[in-house]
Structure formats: structure tokens, C-alpha cells
Amino acid sequence: MASRRDFIKISALGIGGMALGAGALKLLAEDSTFDPFSPITQFSRIPTYCEVCFWKCAGWTYTDDKGKIVKVIGNDEDPHCNGRLCPRGTGGIGMYYDEDRLLTPLVRVSENGKQTFRQASWEEALGIVAENLKKIADKYGPESLALFKHGSSGHYFEQLVKAYGSGNIVSPSYAQCRGPREVGWKATFGTTVGSPEPTDIRDTRCLVLIGSHIGENMHNGQVQEMSEAIDRGADIITVDPRYSTAASKSRHWLPIKPATDLALLLAWIHVIINEELYDKGYVEQYTFGFDRLKQHVRRMTPEWAYGITGIQPKAIRETARLMGSAAPSVIVHPGRHVTWYGDDTQRSRAIAILNALLGSWGRRGGFYFDESVRLPEFPIPEFPEPKWDWRATLDGRFPLAATGISNAMIEASIPKEGKDSRIKGWFVSGTNLPLTIPNRPQLEEAIQALDFMVVVDTMPMEVTGYADVVLPECTYFERYDELRTSPHREPYLALRMPAAAPKGDSKPAWWIAKQIAEKLGLGSYFPYEDFKEVLDWQLKQVGSSLEEMQKAGVKQFERRSPLYLKENEPFTFRTSTGKIELYSKEFEQYGFAPLPNYTPHPEPPDNYYRLNYGRAPMHTFSRTSNNPNLTDLMDENDLWVNPKVARIWGMKNGQEVWLRNQDGVISSFPIKVRITERIRWDSVYMVHGFGHNNKKLSRAFGKGASDSELITNPVPDPIMGGTGMRGTFVTFLLEEPIKAVES
Amino acid sequence: MRYAMAIDTKKCVGCSDCVVACQIENNVPVGYCRDWVTETVHGSYPNLELELRSERCNHCDNAPCVRCCPTGASYIAEGGIVLVEGDKCIGCGACIESCPYDARFSHPEGYVDKCTFCIHRVRKGQEPACVSACPTHCMYFGDLDDPASDISRVLKNRKYKVLAPEAGTKPQVYYLV
Ligand code: SF4
């Protein structure tokens, strides 16, 4: 029965405090020294910044009198978190305590015709890595090594790979996530959005979220500021086919038909221009191409958009007027994970244009000009010039890609039509490719074709299963790392230092990179014994020291220029015209539409539903889904299904179903149905990052389904190579499908 | 002195930081919890309302769990905080049955456990762990007898409700609506 009032516990088994599973219980029960009124007595606190997500909140790791890590809390002085971590950050200690962690180097061996991993010493494992990297360099040239990276550790391997002679460095966070918005923004404002986004939510009068689910994505400072905005009575407008948490906090929720966002954006632009709601002084002084834009959108009326988006013309006008009356204290949020349909750079352009018309860029309550500390690089020799780099793997496609495209790198690793592949070896750090990259069969084909693959991780993620050598990295609680320099309203530095010795035989990434470098005769690129020396040297260049930072954790510096544009201040934007380009000269030059257009995208066939995916506040990608503290909050994803759809299929709440996509790919595991009015009848929704198939992840294995596995037809963004991933259609299998038996 | 908590449902995003912060602060074994988050949806697409709530022991003025405890292990401490003395608890479970909020559970070590409003922190002048962790600042804790406290102010200025008022327990966790 479809209920009009769902009552669902979303976290933590409140009722009756039932046990989750004996395995999980043992973990803390073992060392529980239980005293309900004074659980922890003596503390010392050690500065860190969080590595559970890219927000990198600064905090304090607390250890008890025996030196055991007991908790981590936010640093009050840090603008990323204002003293409060998100649930993932608070539960981050689970990364340290996870008993499934990688604790020794592993090397692939054949035993009785079966491949398996054998534990190895560092000396042996590093020797194998160095030997294979040498072979690749000798045989194909060092350019044939690619690095896939994410997170803090990537930096050291980037140094290593560059020193070795390759420029083939890619971060899936570009092509699989925020690349399109950076390109769209750069084309418009001459600068990228960056991270954290410089959204002045704290002081905004109107926040527009289009597919951005703040509150489910716990980008900490933004969540906090949105909460402040709610308190102040700011208008929030949320565009989402799903009734997201943010939608429920909004004055206006526009339940848009999926894949039609650009039509809505263009209609908003139409209303804002035609009703003269735009910031005239700003547009005149700072922008280029207004008349062409006006001409371009003249027929893109709310009535036109209604037919496409399903949003009532009245609602489109009303929300446009709200934005106009709040301008320039208005934020049309650029979003973060924006790789949806392959025209994402154009959609990001439309969002940027809207902000430009409202005059919000560089204005209070809109977007501030962020600043970071300019930290001198520790002196090392110059890197050799590679003969070719990631640009060659694009084969003339994606001319505005600003960095390597993961999928192009993967293609370049596959021999084609009798031609050998360009890429022969992979170095992977901190990114679980099988649960990140769309089109898994292609990924597997590439990996099979490699001469050598080494993976550095803290956990036995799926990607480690493909490696020849697995190197165990210690967690962020057990190492020094680079200083955090991310920009904010004021420039800040934050220090991460170890609160405990590395568990088992795990090591910090800087150490691993340095050892490999030395074995390759590249030791001069890592001219230090301990990474502390680098930090102290860098800090002294900016008038601080390691000692000072060890006490304070974060340090604020002076801004060099104002936070906002001054009234009528002359300002040159870093575009070809020096203006904010409503009409993009750059796109025109490369043969792309200089003004964004709406193009229809494929619709799900009968009995298929669009697979949308997103985040839960307790998890980050697939990296947290084995964390004992966080799986305790949420240990699997579920599939949101509209009650009408459930009725047609005869599905019950909590029932397990398998999913089959338009290409016949079936989910490895079943997923539980969650019947809810919060989702449209034409789509289903799941949280990303579940459905792990590595048994070594004892809590995560087989829990829920993987969206990534089902995304087999990514639509490339011709401008910059992003992979549109919201064009997956799935249908339900109510019975367990018959599959080949796994050994 | 009357300690109470108010939770702003307009701001809560249901992230469960309160849950994990409590588990870690109070060394609650993994698999158990003293606070939790609920989601309530009203209406049908697209006319919907959603309420997310962080719930816990309501530290009731008229606490059925204390009344029904055969050993006196459940008692009311300073400021109205309802506590369980683990040593006196025989684990009979009568209090678990009597609580209309399902706020109590059997700890694997054989006694009944629940939220303490982090009395060990409150005594030191700190806020409960959940309140101090919440990234949305949606939780208020303090003394209702002090008209200048945040909680008194917020309850004076905002509409609020309590859970299961019909149970007559006089709960002291308030939900701002
Ligand atoms: S937002 Fe959460 S997970 Fe991300 S860095 Fe901050 S505390 Fe860590």
C-alpha cells in the first residue's frame, strides 16, 4: 500500500537499540573501558585536517592518557568548519580503527595456477615497483605511466611521476565531477569556481540550488551557512526532481522533469532580461554580449520552458523575480557534481550567465573573491619535459579540458585495431576506480592490457584487487601532510600531524613516494628525511613555524585585496575581452555554441526509469562505506521508488530487487526498495558509493547496489571531456537473476 | 534548575552527526545508539512536507521509566536529568517497555542504557556532545529556569511541540516547528 505518511528511520537503529551484527560489535567492545559519566578522562589534542572529503575541515584529534585516539572535533578557528565537523568527520576515526585496513604491502603471485596476493616486505614491494617502472620507461618511455589520484596523497605521487618523466596525471574529480562547471565559469568570468566554492551564503538573501543537495552533501561550511540563511529568513529556491532535504527547507521547490534544467535556466534568463530585473550598472560595466544574449533568449519564455520542464510559468516568473529583488545578494549555486548529460559545460555557462546578470559575482551575499596563502614550494630540481602528455590522449577532442581526462586515459591504455596502447602502467592513489569511473567493462579491459599497476590505499578497495602491487598507506591520523592552503574569505593555513604511529606496516604517502624515487635514482626530488622539514621550511617563509602550527592547528593571514568589488570599481576579468563574457568568444573560437541552448536528452523507454544518484550525509564516495562508525549510521543504500511505480510492479517497502540497465548490465547485488513520495514516477534514486564487491571489505561487501556499475553509457561533454552520467535507465528484476557462479 | 533541549526542525538536515558524536563521546558500542534521526514525510508528490528529527530520551518530568524501576536504578538527577545507575540495574527491561519514545536499550554488558544529556560534560559547563557537534546549529541545550538561557529564549520566540504529549510524560525535548 502506498502510504501518504512514510515513517522511516534513516539512521542508527534507534528503536530498541538493536545490534547490527556481532562482527561490528566486537570492535569497540574489546577495548571498552566503560564509565557512563566520565567516559574519557585525560586528553591531549593534536591538530589535523579531515581527509574524509575534500572540504578538509581542520580539527583536533584527541588521545587519552594511554595515547589512544578517542575522538576528533572541529577547530573553532577554522572557517571551513567553525569548530564543528560533519558526521563523516566525527566518524573519521573509524578509518583509523577499521580492522579491514591494509597493513602490509601485497604482491600478486600465482599459486597452483591461481592468482593471489602474498604479503611482502616494503623492500621487496618497492623493489618490484621500481623495477617495473624502469622497464616501462626503457621500453616505451616514461610518458607511458599514468597516475590516477584523489586526495592529499596524490601530491607526492604527482611529484614522483613528474620526476620520472610523465605528465599523464588525472583526477577523476575533473571528468567525473566538477570539470564542466570550472570550464563554464572560466569562459564566463575568467576564473574557475574552485573549492571550497566562494558562495557567500552567510549573507545571501536568495540561494538557488539547481541539482545541488546541500544537507545531503555535507560540504560543511556551506551546510552551516545555509542553516544560518534559513534562520535569517533568506529565500531558498531548489530545483530538483527529487524532494531533497534542501527542497524541504526551501520557499520554492521546483520539481523539474529530469534532464531539462537548461530550459529552465534559459527561461529564467529570459524573464530577468525582459522584465529588466538584471543589475543594469553591473551588466553595462562588466559584461560582454548582452544584446546577443537578449536576442538569443527572446523566444525562451516561461511558457516554452513549461512544455519541457513541467514547471508552471507562474512559478518560473515568481522565482526569477525573487532572484531579481534579492540581487546582487543572490547565489545561483554552481553545484559540484555536475557531469549529468554531456552538455554540462553549457548548463554551467547558463548558471554563470544568470549570476552575471544578477551581478552576484564579487558581491556581498553572492560570490566573494576568495584568497589563499601563497606558500613557496620546497626547492627541488626542475622536472624533465615529457615528450607528450595527457593532451595527446584526447586525440583532438575536448579542446577546453584543463587537465587530464580519466576516461581518455583509460582508452589510451587499450590497444586498438592492431595499434599498441600508449599507456602501459598505472599508479593509483586514493581513488577507487571501479566505483568511480563509468563504463566498468572498458575500465577492466584497460587494466587487463597494462604491463604494470600499483595501488596505494588505506583500505582494500576494489581497485586494489586489480593491482600487481598494493602499498598500504596510513590514515590521516598517522601522518604529516602538506599544509592545507585552500582559499576562503580570509587566507588560512591548516596543519595535519600524526596523533598515533602508523598501524601495522602502513606508511605515509610522502615516505612511499620518496622510497620509490630513490630506487629510481630520483631521490633529489625528495630532498628531506622527514616531511616535517618541508613544512617547517615552508612555514618559516611565511613568518610562521611548525612549532607554532602544532599548537594552533590553523593560522589566519592578511588578505591582499578586497573581498568584494567596490561600487563601479574598474575591474578586468581574465577573459579575452576583459569582461564577463555572456557571449563566449572562446567557445565561438573553438566552434562551440557561444550562448547556451537547450537540447533534449533521451527519455527512459517503457518500464525503465532514470537512475539518479547522490550523496548521504554520512558517507563520502565509496571510501566510507566500510567505516565502522559510519556504517553504523547507514550500512547500505536503498532505491527510492515512487508509490505509483511500486504499485505497478507490486513492490513492497524493504523488498530486495536487482536492477538491469538499458545495456543489459545487472547489478551485482540486490538493493532494498524504499517507497517514497519524495521521488518522481519517471526516475529512481540511490546514494552513490555502495555495492562493494570486495569481500575484504567485511562490512561493505554486498551491501546495496552500485550506481557506477550500472552507468555504462556515459555521454562525453565535447567541450571538456566530462562524462554525463544521468542518462542511465534501469528496470527492476524482482527475482534473483541467474548468474554464472563465482569461484 | 531544569535542563532541556530544543531542536529546530527547520534547520536539521538529518545528517546524524549527533548520533556519531554521542556514540564516540559516550563509548556506546557500535550497533547501539542513544540518539537517532527520524524522517517523516507528509503529502504526495509534489505537495510534500518533510520533517527530520534528532530524537533521544526526553528526560521527562513525569518519567514512567523511573516510576516502574524495581531497584531504583533509574533515577532523576540534578536539573531533571533521568539517569540509570548501571550497578543497580538488573536488566529486567521494565523501563524499556514503559518508555513511549523507545529511548532505552539493553547494553551488552547487562544493564539498561540511554541518553544522559552528557551530564559529565554539562557538569563541566560544556554542552552535550550532540549539541556541540551539530553542523547546522539546530540544537539548543540549557536551563529552562534561567530566562536568559538560549533555550528559554528560543522557546519563548518560536512555535514548538513535544513528542507523544498524550502519554502524559511531560517530555523536556522540544521541537521547534
Ligand atoms: S565536510 Fe566532513 S568529511 Fe568533509 S572535511 Fe569536513 S568534516 Fe571531513
Side-chain angles (χ1 to χ4, degrees):
Chain A
M1 212 359 247
S3 72
R4 291 176 66 84
R5 181 176 180 279
D6 301 332
F7 180 83
I8 309 155
K9 294 224 164 197
I10 58 172
S11 77
L13 315 148
I15 293 186
M18 294 163 304
L20 238 192
L25 266 179
K26 240 182 27 216
L27 180 74
L28 287 189
E30 263 170 25
D31 41 36
S32 104
T33 42
F34 188 70
D35 172 359
F37 303 140
S38 179
I40 302 152
T41 43
Q42 284 254 288
F43 288 134
S44 60
R45 59 177 207 179
I46 298 124
T48 188
Y49 60 86
C50 181
E51 183 74 13
V52 187
C53 90
F54 40 71
W55 211 259
K56 301 183 185 159
C57 299
W60 300 103
T61 311
Y62 281 73
T63 54
D64 67 9
D65 47 7
K66 294 187 197 74
K68 181 175 174 282
I69 294 178
V70 287
K71 65 176 176 183
V72 52
I73 63 171
N75 185 323
D76 288 335
E77 308 306 318
D78 179 36
H80 290 231
C81 76
N82 308 302
R84 291 170 182 238
L85 301 181
C86 84
R88 301 162 299 159
T90 305
I93 57 168
M95 267 170 89
Y96 169 75
Y97 281 112
D98 197 324
E99 73 284 18
D100 293 338
R101 272 178 62 176
L102 295 168
L103 294 177
T104 112
L106 301 171
V107 297
R108 181 181 293 268
V109 288
S110 269
E111 271 170 19
N112 308 324
K114 213 178 153 220
Q115 295 190 0
T116 166
F117 281 125
R118 169 172 69 67
Q119 298 192 350
S121 68
W122 275 101
E123 193 48 36
E124 184 193 2
L126 292 168
I128 298 172
V129 173
E131 186 192 321
N132 280 283
L133 295 190
K134 268 195 208 127
K135 266 196 216 152
I136 288 175
D138 292 347
K139 218 164 147 190
Y140 315 102
E143 294 83 359
S144 294
L145 178 71
L147 168 66
F148 292 81
K149 69 177 178 78
H150 186 89
S152 303
S153 311
H155 167 77
Y156 315 102
F157 300 113
E158 182 165 348
Q159 304 274 78
L160 170 67
V161 167
K162 282 182 176 163
Y164 170 81
S166 173
N168 282 314
I169 296 163
V170 293
S171 300
S173 56
Y174 190 75
Q176 270 72 54
C177 199
R178 62 191 174 94
R181 83 165 191 203
E182 304 301 5
V183 175
W185 230 256
K186 185 130 197 307
T188 315
F189 294 107
T191 149
T192 58
V193 180
S195 176
E197 294 82 10
T199 45
D200 206 8
I201 302 177
R202 191 173 73 185
D203 286 319
T204 199
R205 293 175 56 206
C206 179
L207 172 64
V208 184
L209 303 175
I210 179 153
S212 172
H213 55 344
I214 298 182
E216 283 159 288
N217 76 44
M218 287 303 287
H219 304 162
N220 196 342
Q222 271 182 21
V223 176
Q224 296 191 17
E225 292 195 17
M226 185 168 93
S227 194
E228 264 182 84
I230 292 171
D231 250 352
R232 281 188 299 97
D235 286 314
I236 304 178
I237 300 166
T238 297
V239 182
D240 201 316
R242 187 177 61 95
Y243 190 58
S244 62
T245 301
S248 78
K249 311 271 179 214
S250 302
R251 177 148 313 163
H252 289 270
W253 169 43
L254 306 182
I256 196 166
K257 180 176 172 189
T260 66
D261 310 79
L262 244 169
L264 173 66
L265 287 162
L266 291 165
W268 270 341
I269 293 173
H270 171 98
V271 176
I272 282 166
I273 291 179
N274 281 57
E275 297 194 7
E276 301 195 5
L277 301 168
Y278 58 95
D279 187 328
K280 295 202 188 66
Y282 185 96
V283 166
E284 186 168 330
Q285 184 177 358
Y286 298 123
T287 70
F288 168 82
F290 178 76
D291 292 335
R292 279 192 263 193
L293 174 67
K294 185 174 177 179
Q295 180 69 11
H296 179 72
V297 297
R298 76 190 180 286
R299 293 214 183 90
M300 299 173 184
T301 61
E303 285 69 21
W304 163 78
Y306 173 53
I308 299 166
T309 61
I311 308 287
Q312 295 284 349
K314 186 164 157 274
I316 297 178
R317 290 205 168 83
E318 225 174 287
T319 45
R321 286 172 196 151
L322 261 183
M323 290 180 227
S325 66
S329 284
V330 53
I331 300 162
V332 188
H333 199 287
R336 185 142 186 145
H337 179 78
V338 292
T339 43
W340 300 351
Y341 306 113
D343 58 355
D344 307 302
T345 306
Q346 292 288 12
R347 187 182 65 255
S348 294
R349 274 268 300 148
I351 295 173
I353 290 169
L354 200 51
N355 279 301
L357 292 173
L358 295 163
S360 67
W361 185 249
R363 307 291 277 282
R364 187 188 182 88
F367 295 80
Y368 54 81
F369 292 139
D370 59 9
E371 271 190 18
S372 55
V373 179
R374 290 196 187 128
L375 203 59
E377 289 284 345
F378 194 67
I380 51 169
E382 236 178 81
F383 294 122
E385 190 64 37
K387 290 200 189 68
W388 58 275
D389 66 9
W390 57 269
R391 284 177 198 89
T393 66
L394 305 183
D395 290 328
R397 300 166 296 172
F398 320 134
L400 293 178
T403 168
I405 298 298
S406 34
N407 289 65
M409 199 60 71
I410 291 164
E411 283 168 28
S413 310
I414 302 174
K416 250 185 295 256
E417 291 144 16
K419 261 184 42 200
D420 201 8
S421 58
R422 288 198 187 102
I423 299 290
K424 292 293 181 180
W426 285 9
F427 209 116
V428 182
S429 159
T431 172
N432 188 20
L433 297 175
L435 270 76
T436 304
I437 303 285
N439 197 351
R440 198 181 286 178
Q442 190 187 50
L443 175 72
E444 285 178 339
E445 191 186 347
I447 291 175
Q448 294 312 334
L450 294 174
D451 284 13
F452 184 68
M453 175 168 166
V454 50
V455 175
V456 184
D457 213 315
T458 64
M459 291 292 297
M461 291 300 179
E462 280 70 14
V463 68
T464 59
Y466 297 95
D468 296 300
V469 177
V470 180
L471 302 175
E473 186 188 2
C474 59
T475 67
Y476 64 104
F477 292 105
E478 304 155 289
R479 66 192 198 220
Y480 279 102
D481 255 319
E482 282 214 294
L483 291 155
R484 187 197 73 191
T485 56
S486 349
H488 216 276
R489 289 185 178 93
E490 314 291 334
Y492 273 85
L493 290 180
L495 174 71
R496 172 185 290 162
M497 65 180 282
K503 280 206 169 183
D505 224 356
S506 64
K507 299 282 185 192
W510 66 261
W511 182 91
I512 301 172
K514 177 177 158 69
Q515 305 309 308
I516 299 173
E518 281 171 3
K519 288 204 170 343
L520 292 170
L522 302 168
S524 59
Y525 290 92
F526 295 82
Y528 46 82
E529 279 313 303
D530 192 319
F531 198 66
K532 277 199 301 205
E533 297 160 40
V534 177
L535 299 177
D536 197 44
W537 182 89
Q538 285 186 303
L539 285 164
K540 292 209 166 116
Q541 309 306 304
V542 293
S544 178
S545 67
L546 186 55
E547 205 188 337
E548 184 192 6
M549 290 298 286
Q550 284 172 335
K551 290 199 191 94
V554 300
K555 185 175 161 77
Q556 184 185 338
F557 289 76
E558 289 284 309
R559 279 190 70 92
R560 299 176 293 272
S561 58
L563 188 60
Y564 306 114
L565 279 170
K566 284 206 226 44
E567 195 72 22
N568 306 325
E569 170 190 350
F571 194 89
T572 311
F573 292 85
R574 276 174 283 168
T575 57
S576 66
T577 55
K579 304 255 182 192
I580 300 171
E581 296 196 353
L582 303 174
Y583 181 95
S584 172
K585 296 285 262 183
E586 191 184 29
F587 281 20
E588 181 180 51
Q589 181 196 332
Y590 283 98
F592 299 119
L595 290 163
N597 283 305
Y598 166 72
T599 29
H601 299 295
E603 298 281 328
D606 278 356
N607 297 323
Y608 278 78
Y609 305 86
R610 187 182 297 275
L611 174 62
N612 284 332
Y613 56 87
R615 306 275 296 269
M618 314 80 178
H619 286 285
T620 303
F621 321 137
S622 63
R623 70 162 60 170
T624 51
S625 30
N626 203 66
N627 176 316
N629 298 87
L630 300 178
T631 49
D632 200 27
L633 302 177
M634 174 181 176
D635 66 342
E636 62 186 321
N637 57 358
D638 49 20
L639 186 75
W640 296 31
V641 176
N642 182 280
K644 291 193 188 78
V645 176
R647 204 175 308 132
I648 294 169
W649 287 80
M651 292 191 295
K652 294 207 176 51
N653 218 10
Q655 171 179 349
E656 289 192 331
V657 297
W658 284 257
L659 298 175
R660 185 174 62 209
N661 78 0
Q662 70 287 329
D663 297 330
V665 172
I666 297 173
S667 62
S668 299
F669 303 103
I671 181 168
K672 288 187 185 130
V673 169
R674 168 180 180 177
I675 300 174
T676 174
E677 290 283 358
R678 295 175 64 188
I679 181 106
R680 277 171 67 101
W681 52 90
D682 55 2
S683 39
V684 292
Y685 173 83
M686 69 169 75
V687 168
H688 166 74
F690 287 86
H692 283 270
N693 60 7
N694 190 354
K695 290 200 173 121
K696 297 215 173 74
L697 299 165
S698 60
R699 271 174 298 275
F701 173 77
K703 289 287 178 61
S706 163
D707 54 324
S708 315
E709 174 183 40
L710 293 165
I711 302 171
T712 47
N713 61 344
V715 184
D717 187 324
I719 300 177
M720 50 60 70
T723 54
M725 299 190 284
R726 297 273 167 87
T728 295
F729 306 129
V730 294
T731 191
F732 313 111
L733 304 177
L734 306 184
E735 304 282 327
E736 175 156 14
I738 299 159
K739 280 189 237 172
V741 189
E742 269 184 63
S743 57
Chain B
M1 193 165 57
R2 196 4 160 154
Y3 288 125
M5 194 179 276
I7 297 166
D8 191 345
T9 61
K10 296 272 177 252
K11 294 203 286 185
C12 174
V13 295
C15 76
S16 307
D17 207 357
C18 47
V19 181
V20 64
C22 168
Q23 289 172 319
I24 289 171
E25 175 71 30
N26 294 299
N27 209 356
V28 180
V30 169
Y32 296 83
C33 59
R34 294 179 177 186
D35 56 350
W36 60 94
V37 176
T38 67
E39 171 192 313
T40 314
V41 182
H42 290 282
S44 55
Y45 195 98
N47 301 307
L48 290 163
E49 266 174 58
L50 168 69
E51 188 174 280
L52 295 159
R53 269 199 318 258
S54 170
E55 295 185 4
R56 60 192 42 60
C57 166
N58 280 271
H59 299 276
C60 306
D61 262 354
N62 181 19
C65 52
V66 175
R67 271 186 281 119
C68 77
C69 177
T71 67
S74 281
Y75 68 105
I76 295 182
E78 73 254 33
I81 298 181
V82 177
L83 294 180
V84 183
E85 210 172 310
D87 291 345
K88 275 200 200 165
C89 176
I90 52 169
C92 71
C95 57
I96 297 179
E97 290 297 311
S98 77
C99 173
Y101 308 102
D102 256 326
R104 295 176 163 237
F105 64 93
S106 267
H107 192 282
E109 286 174 19
Y111 56 89
V112 168
D113 197 20
K114 63 179 268 304
C115 162
T116 63
F117 267 173
C118 280
I119 193 165
H120 62 287
R121 291 172 58 96
V122 172
R123 280 179 183 151
K124 285 191 275 181
Q126 297 170 330
E127 293 188 312
C130 53
V131 178
S132 77
C134 175
T136 68
H137 286 258
C138 78
M139 303 164 92
Y140 303 85
F141 177 83
D143 181 4
L144 285 181
D145 290 342
D146 172 6
S149 68
D150 278 355
I151 185 146
S152 298
R153 270 191 312 106
V154 80
L155 289 178
K156 202 168 135 224
N157 297 328
R158 290 276 302 269
K159 279 206 202 115
Y160 60 82
K161 65 176 181 189
V162 294
L163 300 182
E166 67 284 358
T169 54
K170 302 211 182 111
Q172 297 303 314
V173 176
Y174 297 87
Y175 292 92
L176 306 175
V177 291

Coordinates of all heavy atoms in Angstrom, one line a residue, chain B residues 66-96:
Chain B
V66 N 11.3 5.8 35.5 CA 11.7 5.9 36.9 C 10.7 5.3 37.8 O 11.1 4.5 38.7 CB 12.0 7.4 37.2 CG1 12.4 7.5 38.7 CG2 13.1 7.9 36.3
R67 N 9.4 5.6 37.5 CA 8.4 5.0 38.4 C 8.4 3.5 38.4 O 8.1 2.9 39.4 CB 7.0 5.6 37.9 CG 6.7 6.9 38.6 CD 5.3 7.3 38.3 NE 5.2 8.0 36.9 CZ 4.5 7.5 35.9 NH1 3.8 6.4 36.0 NH2 4.5 8.1 34.7
C68 N 8.6 2.9 37.2 CA 8.4 1.4 37.2 C 9.7 0.7 37.5 O 9.7 -0.5 37.6 CB 7.9 1.0 35.8 SG 9.2 1.0 34.6
C69 N 10.8 1.4 37.8 CA 12.1 0.6 38.1 C 12.0 -0.1 39.4 O 11.8 0.6 40.4 CB 13.3 1.6 38.0 SG 14.8 0.8 38.4
P70 N 12.2 -1.4 39.4 CA 12.0 -2.1 40.7 C 13.2 -1.9 41.7 O 13.1 -2.2 42.9 CB 11.9 -3.6 40.3 CG 12.6 -3.6 39.0 CD 12.4 -2.3 38.3
T71 N 14.4 -1.5 41.2 CA 15.5 -1.4 42.0 C 16.0 0.0 42.4 O 16.9 0.2 43.1 CB 16.7 -2.1 41.4 OG1 17.1 -1.3 40.2 CG2 16.4 -3.5 41.0
G72 N 15.3 1.0 41.7 CA 15.8 2.4 41.9 C 17.0 2.7 41.1 O 17.6 3.7 41.3
A73 N 17.3 1.9 40.2 CA 18.5 2.2 39.3 C 18.2 3.4 38.4 O 19.1 4.2 38.1 CB 18.8 0.9 38.5
S74 N 16.9 3.5 38.0 CA 16.6 4.7 37.2 C 16.2 5.8 38.2 O 15.3 5.5 39.1 CB 15.3 4.3 36.3 OG 15.7 3.6 35.2
Y75 N 16.8 6.9 38.0 CA 16.5 8.0 38.9 C 16.6 9.3 38.3 O 17.1 9.4 37.1 CB 17.4 7.9 40.2 CG 18.9 8.2 39.8 CD1 19.4 9.4 40.2 CD2 19.7 7.3 39.2 CE1 20.8 9.7 39.9 CE2 21.0 7.5 38.9 CZ 21.6 8.8 39.2 OH 22.9 9.0 38.9
I76 N 16.2 10.4 39.0 CA 16.3 11.7 38.4 C 17.4 12.5 39.1 O 17.4 12.6 40.3 CB 14.9 12.4 38.6 CG1 13.9 11.6 37.7 CG2 15.0 13.9 38.1 CD1 12.5 12.2 37.7
A77 N 18.3 12.9 38.3 CA 19.5 13.6 38.9 C 19.3 15.1 38.8 O 18.2 15.6 38.4 CB 20.8 13.2 38.1
E78 N 20.3 15.9 39.0 CA 20.2 17.4 39.1 C 19.6 17.9 37.7 O 19.9 17.3 36.7 CB 21.5 18.0 39.4 CG 22.5 18.0 38.2 CD 23.6 17.0 38.5 OE1 23.4 15.9 39.1 OE2 24.8 17.3 38.0
G79 N 18.8 18.9 37.8 CA 18.2 19.5 36.6 C 17.3 18.6 35.9 O 16.9 18.9 34.7
G80 N 16.8 17.6 36.6 CA 15.7 16.7 36.0 C 16.3 15.7 35.0 O 15.5 15.1 34.3
I81 N 17.6 15.5 34.9 CA 18.2 14.6 34.0 C 17.9 13.1 34.5 O 18.1 12.8 35.7 CB 19.7 14.8 33.9 CG1 20.0 16.2 33.3 CG2 20.3 13.7 33.0 CD1 21.4 16.5 33.1
V82 N 17.3 12.3 33.6 CA 16.9 11.0 34.0 C 18.2 10.1 33.7 O 18.7 10.1 32.6 CB 15.7 10.5 33.2 CG1 15.4 9.0 33.5 CG2 14.5 11.4 33.5
L83 N 18.6 9.3 34.7 CA 19.8 8.5 34.6 C 19.5 7.1 35.0 O 18.5 6.8 35.7 CB 20.9 9.1 35.5 CG 21.5 10.5 35.1 CD1 22.6 10.9 36.1 CD2 22.0 10.5 33.7
V84 N 20.5 6.2 34.6 CA 20.4 4.8 35.1 C 21.7 4.5 35.8 O 22.8 4.8 35.3 CB 20.3 3.8 33.9 CG1 20.2 2.4 34.4 CG2 19.1 4.2 33.0
E85 N 21.6 4.0 37.0 CA 22.8 3.6 37.7 C 23.1 2.1 37.3 O 22.4 1.2 37.7 CB 22.6 3.7 39.2 CG 23.9 4.0 39.9 CD 23.6 4.3 41.4 OE1 22.7 5.2 41.7 OE2 24.2 3.7 42.3
G86 N 24.1 1.9 36.5 CA 24.4 0.6 35.9 C 24.5 -0.5 36.9 O 24.0 -1.6 36.8
D87 N 25.2 -0.2 38.1 CA 25.4 -1.2 39.1 C 24.1 -1.7 39.7 O 24.1 -2.9 40.1 CB 26.3 -0.6 40.2 CG 27.7 -0.4 39.7 OD1 28.1 -1.0 38.6 OD2 28.5 0.3 40.3
K88 N 23.2 -0.8 39.8 CA 21.9 -1.2 40.5 C 20.9 -1.9 39.5 O 20.0 -2.5 39.9 CB 21.2 0.1 41.1 CG 21.7 0.5 42.4 CD 20.6 1.4 43.0 CE 21.2 2.2 44.2 NZ 20.3 3.3 44.5
C89 N 21.2 -1.7 38.2 CA 20.3 -2.2 37.2 C 20.4 -3.7 37.1 O 21.5 -4.2 36.9 CB 20.6 -1.5 35.9 SG 19.5 -2.1 34.5
I90 N 19.2 -4.4 37.1 CA 19.3 -5.8 37.0 C 18.9 -6.2 35.5 O 18.8 -7.4 35.2 CB 18.3 -6.5 38.0 CG1 16.9 -5.9 37.9 CG2 18.9 -6.4 39.4 CD1 15.8 -6.6 38.7
G91 N 18.7 -5.2 34.7 CA 18.4 -5.5 33.3 C 17.0 -6.2 33.1 O 16.8 -6.9 32.1
C92 N 16.0 -5.9 33.9 CA 14.7 -6.5 33.8 C 14.0 -6.0 32.6 O 13.1 -6.7 32.1 CB 13.9 -6.3 35.0 SG 13.3 -4.6 35.3
G93 N 14.3 -4.8 32.2 CA 13.7 -4.3 30.9 C 12.3 -3.6 31.1 O 11.7 -3.2 30.2
A94 N 11.9 -3.5 32.4 CA 10.6 -2.8 32.6 C 10.6 -1.4 32.1 O 9.6 -0.9 31.5 CB 10.2 -2.8 34.1
C95 N 11.7 -0.7 32.3 CA 11.8 0.7 31.8 C 11.7 0.8 30.3 O 11.2 1.7 29.8 CB 13.0 1.3 32.4 SG 14.5 0.5 31.9
I96 N 12.4 -0.2 29.7 CA 12.4 -0.2 28.2 C 11.0 -0.2 27.7 O 10.6 0.5 26.8 CB 13.3 -1.3 27.7 CG1 14.7 -1.2 28.1 CG2 13.2 -1.4 26.1 CD1 15.6 -2.3 27.7

